[in-house]
Amino acid sequence: MGELRVLPLTGIPEVHSGDDLARLLGDAIERVGGLEPGDVVVLAQKVVSKAEGRLEQTDDPLAVVLREARSVRRHRDELVIAETEHGFVCASAGVDRSNTPGEGWVVLLPHDPDASAGSVRAALTERFSMSPAVIVSDSFGRAWRDGTTDVAIGVAGMRPLLDLRGTNDARGYRLSGTVIAVADELAGAAELVMGKAEGIPAVLIRGYRVPEGEGSARELVIPPERDLFP
């Protein structure tokens, strides 16, 4: 692998419901010289949700959280760890009160983040005659670790996992259980540039060869029927 670059896509204005996000994104990509083969576009979930109208004004955010949850895993006062309809387990079922239009507003997760990524990818392909991989990212906590990091909740144009099982490491050791969550790693790298208060909702990652094929971010979620400790 050569040089890995993470380029901020600046100049994207505040996005509102119904805005053509792919057009705004394409304009920002042109400002960095357009697309190159192998590029990966990472979009913050919140800008996708805003464009898709996934905002709600409420005087009871907890009620919205419980409505958006398929099931509640932990609940203490206003802290809710819940499983969303997508299968993601996260704080507040993905309902967020930061960077909203104003007091009393919340932003919800996209209905189908994979489809959101696919729609953006199709529009960029039509505009640039080149098909980037697209990731929709959001901030999640991790079990038994403090702090948050961005992970992929939607992907298009790539496999989210790199399966190295059956291959050999540099010393010839046969790998039997190594599967790399590359979509999450790329989302985390993008968040270093996007930040939480810099107003940069998207980045372009260049120089990484993503696993080829089509996949879903739901592949990153361990299904409940898979018992890790039989």
Side-chain angles (χ1 to χ4, degrees):
M1 183 185 300
E3 182 184 40
L4 183 68
R5 302 179 66 196
V6 184
L7 308 173
L9 295 177
T10 59
I12 298 175
E14 179 67 27
V15 172
H16 302 93
S17 178
D19 284 350
D20 188 343
L21 178 59
R23 180 185 63 79
L24 297 174
L25 187 61
D27 292 345
I29 290 172
E30 286 192 347
R31 286 192 287 272
V32 297
L35 291 174
E36 294 183 7
D39 280 350
V40 181
V41 176
V42 183
L43 292 166
Q45 162 267 321
K46 196 161 291 179
V47 73
V48 175
S49 292
K50 287 179 177 179
E52 295 179 357
R54 292 284 286 160
L55 300 98
E56 187 171 323
Q57 194 168 24
T58 179
D59 57 4
D60 190 354
L62 181 57
V64 178
V65 170
L66 296 177
R67 187 197 69 211
E68 291 293 304
R70 175 191 291 171
S71 65
V72 174
R73 300 293 184 88
R74 294 289 187 274
H75 184 189
R76 185 178 70 243
D77 299 325
E78 291 190 357
L79 174 62
V80 178
I81 305 299
E83 180 182 358
T84 71
E85 289 297 329
H86 319 81
F88 306 133
V89 177
C90 57
S92 302
V95 177
D96 198 339
R97 285 182 274 183
S98 65
N99 292 313
T100 63
E103 185 69 27
W105 285 88
V106 293
V107 182
L108 316 179
L109 294 180
H111 282 299
D112 187 342
D114 286 328
S116 301
S119 176
V120 169
R121 182 173 188 255
L124 294 178
T125 299
E126 181 176 357
R127 178 166 177 172
F128 293 99
S129 299
M130 194 169 296
S131 298
V134 176
I135 296 172
V136 177
S137 70
D138 195 11
S139 296
F140 277 35
R142 289 122 343 120
W144 316 122
R145 295 185 72 84
D146 203 358
T148 65
T149 186
D150 269 30
V151 301
I153 65 168
V155 301
M158 64 174 291
R159 302 291 302 181
L161 297 166
L162 177 61
D163 190 348
L164 297 178
R165 291 172 294 185
T167 64
N168 295 330
D169 69 9
R171 295 182 178 272
Y173 177 78
R174 193 76 164 174
L175 303 176
S176 61
T178 303
V179 181
I180 309 298
V182 292
D184 284 348
E185 292 182 326
L186 293 168
E191 199 275 333
L192 293 173
V193 172
M194 288 192 283
K196 295 301 177 191
E198 284 76 5
I200 299 173
V203 305
L204 187 67
I205 298 179
R206 181 165 291 162
Y208 182 80
R209 184 176 178 180
V210 300
E212 295 182 357
E214 291 295 333
S216 166
R218 300 188 189 201
E219 296 173 41
L220 294 157
V221 179
I222 298 173
E225 65 271 13
R226 190 169 127 206
D227 191 349
L228 294 180
F229 304 101

